[in-house]
Amino acid sequence: MKKYDLTVPLDVFNEIIRYKQEILILMNEHTLNTQDNSIKDALVHVSESEIYYLLEYHQKVFINYLYFKEESILENYLHWFYRVYLNKDLHIDFFSSIYKLWVIAYSKYLNKTMLIPVKKFYEFLDANNEEISKTAMELKIFYIDNKSDELYSFLVNAQKDKFREEILKNASTQEDFLHFFSTHVVKAMQKVGFMWEIGKISVAKEHISSSILEEICFEVINTFQKQESNNKSVLLVNAPNEFHGLGLKFISKLLENMGYKVISLGATGTPKKDILKAVEEFEPSYLVIGVSISINLYEVALIIKEVNKLNHQNSSNIEILLGGNACNDLNKPKELLKAHEYFKSVEDIVKYFD
């Protein structure tokens, strides 16, 4: 995709944030009531509830792109969006029609001057529609190796015993297991996700793969020796609107084995107000935030801002640590999000606490 730098003044960004819910509701109404044939045809393949989800997802990507000014957030989303929905038999004209409706929705809440960069942005996407769709269908988001490919095959074909055998061969120590997990298992699961996106495997196989992975890896983690308590507490949270909590579950169990007092708010995403309340109530030594979906990065930035404010007000020193694939969309996640550390893998997080 051609490069595009969308920079809007702060007052425009604030207006977009201020009216985001109203704009989303209006956009949904326009989409469901339009006479545009490409959108009407899309509703044959996509339910009204899914359309709303797609619109909300798009709006969050747009907000994150404006806030962080990182083009990878936009590119990765567009490739995913086109890849999944072209495989659901939506015609490419659908995307152009949606872009035009977004301009109409924003025009009700932004004055003509404020609307200019937004309009240019959607015109850019429309002009590059063909190129985006072509790139999306050709894109490979992972670099698979033979071992990862073998693990992928075991997972999607529900060969639990073979997957267990391969994991156990590489789990004589916790260090070995974590290295193997970060090097090969993660790539295998990335392939699972990609193959689902392009319609090569069913959602059932995607769910089975996750289930086998969780079961076997917890079996292994439970065999590792536990250390004595070190009296330090770790609050583990998934960012708001996150539903990928497997990595956080692993970290929770591993840190408990290492002697930390772990307070987990669960595998699914926790609302911002509840995260901040937990920070005040438990006063942990560390706050670990998992974020795997880039649309949630803006909310994470707001959470970190509030925790840093609490640190200053209370003269406390809660270390804010970040993990998850979403951070890979940022060039300097630690600096941009104002966290103490950022980790690319479960292996790196555990090494930090060791």
Side-chain angles (χ1 to χ4, degrees):
M1 192 181 87
K2 294 176 182 177
K3 300 298 179 184
Y4 185 80
D5 177 25
L6 175 62
T7 302
V8 301
L10 182 60
D11 61 335
V12 178
F13 178 78
N14 288 339
E15 286 295 282
I16 290 173
I17 295 296
R18 179 184 178 187
Y19 290 112
K20 64 179 182 179
Q21 193 59 37
E22 290 89 340
I23 292 169
L24 176 60
I25 292 170
L26 180 60
M27 179 62 186
N28 189 58
E29 291 175 357
H30 286 338
T31 303
L32 298 181
N33 297 319
T34 184
Q35 294 305 306
D36 184 285
N37 286 331
S38 64
I39 295 179
K40 290 171 71 175
D41 290 344
L43 288 169
V44 175
H45 304 281
V46 183
S47 67
E48 291 187 6
S49 61
E50 188 172 354
I51 284 288
Y52 183 84
Y53 164 77
L54 285 176
L55 296 175
E56 183 180 38
Y57 198 106
H58 174 93
Q59 187 185 56
K60 288 181 177 180
V61 168
F62 186 54
I63 288 170
N64 276 270
Y65 176 46
L66 293 179
Y67 183 79
F68 291 106
K69 301 177 179 64
E70 294 278 358
E71 191 156 325
S72 56
I73 291 176
L74 176 64
E75 279 196 9
N76 290 340
Y77 155 72
L78 288 172
H79 289 145
W80 170 83
F81 181 37
Y82 280 66
R83 190 161 54 240
V84 171
Y85 286 95
L86 287 174
N87 275 297
K88 288 192 175 185
D89 295 324
L90 270 64
H91 193 272
I92 196 168
D93 288 348
F94 165 78
F95 303 95
S96 292
S97 299
I98 286 290
Y99 297 150
K100 291 178 177 66
L101 286 185
W102 274 114
V103 175
I104 295 171
Y106 274 101
S107 68
K108 183 171 180 178
Y109 294 93
L110 302 180
N111 64 40
K112 289 184 178 179
T113 302
M114 289 181 169
L115 186 64
I116 290 172
V118 175
K119 186 177 180 181
K120 286 184 176 179
F121 171 71
Y122 284 109
E123 287 174 348
F124 168 82
L125 292 186
D126 191 17
N128 288 277
N129 218 354
E130 293 283 350
E131 183 186 345
I132 296 169
S133 64
K134 181 180 178 182
T135 306
M137 299 307 289
E138 294 174 349
L139 188 68
K140 298 295 183 293
I141 60 168
F142 56 88
Y143 298 93
I144 201 76
D145 57 84
N146 289 337
K147 181 57 65 179
S148 302
D149 201 43
E150 183 181 44
L151 293 171
Y152 162 81
S153 179
F154 294 156
L155 288 169
V156 296
N157 293 306
Q159 295 175 303
K160 186 190 297 186
D161 290 340
K162 288 187 176 181
F163 184 79
R164 178 188 286 110
E165 181 182 350
E166 197 59 44
I167 295 292
L168 289 174
K169 282 197 303 188
N170 294 276
S172 56
T173 66
Q174 178 173 289
E175 184 179 8
D176 288 343
F177 166 71
L178 289 174
H179 180 70
F180 185 77
F181 182 88
S182 297
T183 305
H184 299 295
V185 178
V186 169
K187 289 180 182 177
M189 285 304 295
Q190 286 176 340
K191 183 173 182 178
V192 170
F194 183 80
M195 297 301 276
W196 170 78
E197 288 176 8
I198 62 174
K200 296 296 184 182
I201 64 170
S202 66
V203 69
K205 287 197 169 187
E206 194 258 350
H207 288 169
I208 288 167
S209 299
S210 297
S211 178
I212 292 173
L213 174 67
E214 181 172 355
E215 179 184 340
I216 303 304
C217 287
F218 268 102
E219 283 182 18
V220 173
I221 291 172
N222 284 328
T223 66
F224 297 138
Q225 185 176 359
K226 294 184 178 180
Q227 301 175 21
E228 292 184 7
S229 173
N230 58 27
N231 296 317
K232 290 185 177 181
S233 60
V234 183
L235 178 61
L236 292 176
V237 302
N238 245 343
N241 303 306
E242 286 283 337
F243 299 97
H244 299 83
L246 193 55
L248 216 62
K249 286 182 181 179
F250 287 168
I251 294 166
S252 176
K253 185 61 180 175
L254 289 163
L255 292 183
E256 283 180 352
N257 284 352
M258 295 167 66
Y260 288 89
K261 177 185 177 182
V262 176
I263 306 156
S264 175
L265 299 190
T268 55
T270 305
K272 181 179 74 171
K273 63 180 179 60
D274 294 326
I275 292 175
L276 296 174
K277 185 68 173 176
V279 169
E280 288 190 83
E281 288 182 345
F282 295 109
E283 298 181 337
S285 306
Y286 305 91
L287 170 64
V288 178
I289 305 175
V291 52
S292 61
I293 307 173
S294 59
I295 61 171
N296 297 325
L297 287 168
Y298 177 64
E299 282 290 302
V300 170
L302 297 180
I303 291 166
I304 292 174
K305 183 178 180 180
E306 290 298 318
V307 175
N308 281 328
K309 188 187 296 184
L310 286 172
N311 273 341
H312 179 72
Q313 291 173 349
N314 302 333
S315 299
S316 53
N317 189 31
I318 300 169
E319 286 195 40
I320 305 167
L321 312 177
L322 287 172
N325 288 334
C327 295
N328 296 334
D329 285 337
L330 305 177
N331 283 323
K332 296 181 178 179
K334 183 174 78 170
E335 291 79 4
L336 282 172
L337 291 162
K338 308 250 181 323
H340 292 85
E341 291 292 343
Y342 156 64
F343 304 100
K344 289 186 176 181
S345 67
V346 172
E347 181 183 20
D348 291 339
I349 294 176
V350 171
K351 283 180 179 178
Y352 181 80
F353 281 97
D354 194 3

